[in-house]
Amino acid sequence: TVLGRDRTSGGDVVFKHAQTNAEIPGVDLDVILRDSYEATRYWRHPGVLVPFAGFERDGHFEIALRYIPDERRSVLSPELMRDHAAEILPQLFSAVEFIHLMGYVHCDLKSENIFIDNRNEHNRVLITDLDLVRPVGSKPMGKIIGTQPFIAPEVLEDDIFVAQSDYYSLGVIMFLLCH
């Protein structure tokens, strides 16, 4: 992930490319990132941070995302949940429901992929890292993807992505944030 500048708007953007992983060949990661971009590029929801551009560079696929400055961005934390749960939870579930209504599963929900944009003293939830979104009912491309302990048992046992998998992940997130 690299910070850059949008030539058109002059604003800061984040460029992200598929990183090589010994367990999944790099070519497959490019395919996964491209598929994710194609699936999400036209999505519009205030709680889902989607890429606004995708392109080839140096033989790899990259995406461009809106940059949220560090001073405005927080990762979902126990303190934020304790102090702002009534504001955060409806937004969080609305964003996840939107992803499911689009026919996809996030596949990597964890607190690190849920940002809180606190511009104008309002906490706005942003679900990020849509790189691994997969169609509901699909099977993983090769190895199981996601982050332990947030991967739902049905993904591990049945090797299939269902909407309930994301709700399992949200349950683990809430459990870890509250304990």
Side-chain angles (χ1 to χ4, degrees):
T1 305
V2 177
L3 184 63
R5 187 154 310 269
D6 184 333
R7 291 181 190 158
T8 306
S9 71
D12 289 335
V13 297
V14 174
F15 294 107
K16 189 172 186 180
H17 65 275
Q19 296 181 343
T20 305
N21 182 323
E23 297 176 350
I24 305 173
V27 174
D28 291 342
L29 293 176
D30 278 336
V31 169
I32 290 170
L33 189 60
R34 181 179 282 107
D35 287 351
S36 166
Y37 170 71
E38 291 299 329
T40 63
R41 66 192 279 190
Y42 297 113
W43 290 4
R44 297 293 176 263
H45 187 282
V48 181
L49 183 62
V50 296
F52 64 84
F55 53 92
E56 290 279 339
R57 183 176 16 194
D58 299 328
H60 292 285
F61 190 75
E62 293 190 26
I63 57 172
L65 300 149
R66 182 171 48 93
Y67 175 68
I68 301 166
D70 292 343
E71 63 272 7
R72 276 189 20 216
R73 179 185 68 222
S74 303
V75 173
L76 191 59
S77 67
E79 296 78 22
L80 277 168
M81 282 301 293
R82 181 188 63 235
D83 298 340
H84 303 283
E87 184 180 10
I88 291 171
L89 287 175
Q91 294 179 64
L92 179 58
F93 281 91
S94 172
V96 172
E97 181 180 30
F98 172 80
I99 293 169
H100 297 162
L101 288 172
M102 300 308 293
Y104 285 82
V105 182
H106 186 283
C107 298
D108 198 24
L109 281 174
K110 54 188 174 185
S111 53
E112 293 87 355
N113 289 341
I114 302 170
F115 288 166
I116 306 299
D117 181 351
N118 55 20
R119 175 179 34 187
N120 301 328
E121 297 183 24
H122 295 285
N123 293 307
R124 190 176 84 185
V125 171
L126 284 172
I127 293 181
T128 65
D129 204 4
L130 299 169
D131 306 351
L132 301 179
V133 297
R134 303 291 301 142
V136 170
S138 66
K139 295 192 173 282
M141 296 172 63
K143 194 158 178 68
I144 296 290
I145 53 178
T147 305
Q148 287 285 7
F150 305 98
I151 302 172
E154 63 270 12
V155 174
L156 296 172
E157 293 171 11
D158 301 332
D159 208 28
I160 191 167
F161 297 114
V162 294
Q164 292 85 346
S165 306
D166 282 344
Y167 291 116
Y168 175 89
S169 300
L170 285 176
V172 172
I173 292 166
M174 295 304 123
F175 177 80
L176 293 174
L177 288 175
C178 294
H179 288 86

